């Protein structure tokens, strides 16, 4: 019995040891203080200054080469090519970064796979000194020329002179600033030559991400590790972030490492320390998002606000100063307790948050307030802070270099209610430049607790349509975003048949006449469409179905007649049954969508569609996972508008 237990625990211990060896990735997240200082009594590597013949340049060029402690020509080693910045040369890393000391200390701590490190001069021209105006055109172009020198001259020289492994799996490239851009350009542009690529504070020479990784699937298969790092106060961080954003969207595994710092060797030494520990070992790509110190300020932050920050795994770091508060929480649906530091800042890190926009509040001593660091949005029937979490599938509403339309805010005196109301109107690119052209119109409705601002701000309507129109996937159209709140009309949450009828009157007697009198639109049914989300979906069902002689398309997003309210829904079904033939013949598109089973309207919608089937009502159904949320409704708009006015 004792032998059996001992054998069992021995197997467990062996499993732990083996799993640790398989993925020997860094256990820490930054270089310890003083790690770049000489440590007594440990083996040291050797630095050689070498010269090689460059056919590319037509001269003899220099490089600095580090061989690890115990280097032997009887063994073959992988190679890291380590590049300098625009004002440096082959000695820049040595002068500013102490790479040999960092590497020696890592070897002493058994954290590094033995490797050769080559530090060349990345300015591939005959006079490659960092003198004069380093930004001269010929000197800048020489950094691009170095790609040929590296591939055709330097690598063959190194592999002939030193005991190296010569396959791509044992070749890495990394660099700082201009060298970071070179590393990304050359490494990602030559995946048959490099499997490990790192850019530290990469400079403007970095190619656009679509050029760097034109084939994401190939990159996923061939890259062992892609590392992108930068200091949070580095003016060049935008070049790293745009690459990260693209890689995130395309789901290419990588490290996006942001740390406190500027454009200097503190950041670059830490980059070498972290990156080198991954090299030439198996990499667990599922853990790469944990390697960072700081997150990225949310796109919804006010100007220059550093927090909230979004970490690569979509956890969110909140920080707020309230030195006299006794208790502070973040309310994101789930409440997170914040912890106060000695400077009076309260800090909290959330779980991983789902994509899209989320309303939130600060609870300061149990009082809900807006976060002064965040933009506010009208949601939950009040102004609330909002945070936008990146969406891999959100490229269709990204800001792109395409013609852009306008969103116009219009106030009008409604003939239906004799009150002043407001609408947001999207006009497509070219609207003002083509005074003789008339456009079709989509009337677009928000959900409960929101208003006419919802589709314009939370919904990204203008960006979605700009991109669709530029790709010729949707016809140029006006989108009129109405206020569907009709005041105190009674019923559940102020919503019953009176509210529906009031909105129908507003639509027909107030909004449509105003739009057709003040905008160049085509005023007939085939050029009008109506759609809405949640509460707006019910308004679409009511006003649209009763007026199919005025609309050619209806869109119902995350909505459906309430199954537990037959007093409201039964008359609607009775009308549809009596008018099924007219509805089917008038509507070119009756498009119904849901955010999957987690959508709170899902069950009502399924029951409603079963009734439609029984009545012979024709419709198209679509599902997009995400629940009752703005990512779903943005996608609904993206899918619905290309169907219109064709």
């Amino acid at each position: 019995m004792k032998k059996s237990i001992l054998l069992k625990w021995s197997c467990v211990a062996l499993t732990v040891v083996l799993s640790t060896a398989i993925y020997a990735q860094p256990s820490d997240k930054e270089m310890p203080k003083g790690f770049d200082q000489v440590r007594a009594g440990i083996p040291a590597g050797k630095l050689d200054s070498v010269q090689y013949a460059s056919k590319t340049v037509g001269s003899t060029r220099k490089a600095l080469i580090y061989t690890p402690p115990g280097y032997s020509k009887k063994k073959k080693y992988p190679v890291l090519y380590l590049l300098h910045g625009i004002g440096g040369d082959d000695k820049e890393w040595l002068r500013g970064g102490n790479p040999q000391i960092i590497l020696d200390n890592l070897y002493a701590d058994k954290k590094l796979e033995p490797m050769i490190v080559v530090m060349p001069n990345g300015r591939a021209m005959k006079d490659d000194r960092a003198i004069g105006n380093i930004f001269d055109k010929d000197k800048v172009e020489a950094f691009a020329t170095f790609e040929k020198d590296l591939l055709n001259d330097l690598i063959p020289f190194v592999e002939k002179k030193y005991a190296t492994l010569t396959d791509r799996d044992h070749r890495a490239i990394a660099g700082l600033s201009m060298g970071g851009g070179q590393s990304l350009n050359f490494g990602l542009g030559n995946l048959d030559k490099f499997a490990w690529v790192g850019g530290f504070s990469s400079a403007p020479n970095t190619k656009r991400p679509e050029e760097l990784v034109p084939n994401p699937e190939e990159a996923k298969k061939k890259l062992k590790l892609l590392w992108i790092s930068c200091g949070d106060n580095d003016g060049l961080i935008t070049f790293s972030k745009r690459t990260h954003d693209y890689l995130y969207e395309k789901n290419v595994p990588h490290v996006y490492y942001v740390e406190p710092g500027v454009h200097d060797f503190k950041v670059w030494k830490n980059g070498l320390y972290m990156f080198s520990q991954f090299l030439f070992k198996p990499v667990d790509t599922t853990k790469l998002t944990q390697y960072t110190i700081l997150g990225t300020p949310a796109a919804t932050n006010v100007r220059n606000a550093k927090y909230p920050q979004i970490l690569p795994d979509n956890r969110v770091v909140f920080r707020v100063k309230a030195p006299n508060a006794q208790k502070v929480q973040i309310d994101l649906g789930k409440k997170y307790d914040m912890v106060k530091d000695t400077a009076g800042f309260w800090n909290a890190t959330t779980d991983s948050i789902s994509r899209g926009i989320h309303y939130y509040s600060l609870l300061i001593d149990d009082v809900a307030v807006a976060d002064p660091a965040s933009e506010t949005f009208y949601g939950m029937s009040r102004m609330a802070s909002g945070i936008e979490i990146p969406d891999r599938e959100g490229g269709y509403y990204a800001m792109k270099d395409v013609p852009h339309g306008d969103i116009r805010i219009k106030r009008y005196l409604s003939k239906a209610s004799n009150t002043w109301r407001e609408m947001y109107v999207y006009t497509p690119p070219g609207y003002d430049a083509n005074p003789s052209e008339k456009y079709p119109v989509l009337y677009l409705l928000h959900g409960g607790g929101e208003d006419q601002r919802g589709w314009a701000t939370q919904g990204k309507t203008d960006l979605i349509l700009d991109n669709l129109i530029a790709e010729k996937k949707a016809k140029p159209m006006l989108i009129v975003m109405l206020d569907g709140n009709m005041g105190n009309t009674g019923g559940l949450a102020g919503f019953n048949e009176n509210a529906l009828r009031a909105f129908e009157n507003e639509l027909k007697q107030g909004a449509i006449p105003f739009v057709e009198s003040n905008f160049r639109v085509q005023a007939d049914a085939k050029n009008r469409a109506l759609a809405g989300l949640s509460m707006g979906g019910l308004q679409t069902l009511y006003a649209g179905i009763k007026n199919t002689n005025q609309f050619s398309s209806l869109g119902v997003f995350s909505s459906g007649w309430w199954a537990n309210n037959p007093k409201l829904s039964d008359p609607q079904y009775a009308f549809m049954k009596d008018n099924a033939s007219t509805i089917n013949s008038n509507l070119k598109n009756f498009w119904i969508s849901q955010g999957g089973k987690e959508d709170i309207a899902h069950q009502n919608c399924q029951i409603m569609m079963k009734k439609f089937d029984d009545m012979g009502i024709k419709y198209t159904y679509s599902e997009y996972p995400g629940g009752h949320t703005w990512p779903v409704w943005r996608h609904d708009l993206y899918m619905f508008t290309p169907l219109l006015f064709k």
Side-chain angles (χ1 to χ4, degrees), residues 316 318 329-337 350-354 357-363 368-369 379-380 382 384-387 389 628-629:
V316 182
F318 287 94
Q329 294 176 303
I330 292 292
D331 186 354
L332 256 169
K334 176 180 178 179
K335 293 178 181 176
Y336 295 89
D337 293 328
T350 70
D351 303 322
S352 184
I353 305 298
S354 62
I357 192 164
H358 296 262
Y359 303 127
Y360 75 94
S361 299
L362 295 175
L363 298 177
V369 298
M380 306 184 293
R382 65 179 176 85
S385 300
I387 186 166
I389 304 298
H628 206 72
T629 63

Side-chain angles (χ1 to χ4, degrees), residues 123-183:
R123 191 181 294 99
M125 58 192 303
K126 289 186 177 180
D127 185 356
D128 58 9
R129 295 173 296 165
I131 59 174
N133 183 359
I134 59 174
F135 296 99
D136 277 347
K137 184 173 181 290
D138 60 336
K139 293 182 179 179
V140 172
E141 289 176 350
F143 280 89
T145 304
F146 179 65
E147 180 175 8
K148 292 181 181 178
D149 180 68
L150 172 68
L151 298 177
N152 299 331
D153 301 310
L154 179 57
I155 290 177
F157 168 81
V158 170
E159 293 179 352
K160 183 177 181 181
K161 183 175 177 61
Y162 291 88
T164 65
L165 295 161
T166 59
D167 59 298
R168 62 177 299 277
D169 287 353
H170 294 93
R171 193 181 295 125
I173 186 169
L176 66 89
S177 193
M178 196 75 161
Q182 286 177 305
S183 296

Side-chain angles (χ1 to χ4, degrees), residues 473-507:
K473 291 181 178 178
K475 290 192 70 173
M477 67 184 77
L478 268 70
I479 298 186
V480 177
M481 294 159 268
L482 299 177
D483 183 1
N485 299 299
M486 300 310 299
N488 186 16
T489 48
L492 180 64
F495 197 81
N496 62 7
E497 180 124 14
N498 290 335
L500 290 167
R501 191 177 298 112
F503 175 76
E504 180 190 11
N505 291 337
E506 170 56 33
L507 178 66

Side-chain angles (χ1 to χ4, degrees), residues 107-127:
Y107 285 124
D109 291 345
K110 303 187 185 310
K111 291 184 175 182
L112 213 58
E113 189 72 14
M115 68 185 81
I116 296 168
V117 180
V118 180
M119 291 167 273
N121 188 324
R123 191 181 294 99
M125 58 192 303
K126 289 186 177 180
D127 185 356

Side-chain angles (χ1 to χ4, degrees), residues 458-471:
Q458 294 96 299
K460 309 284 189 183
T461 292
D462 57 332
L463 295 177
I464 293 171
L465 265 293
D466 289 343
N467 294 336
L468 283 171
I469 292 169
E471 295 171 10

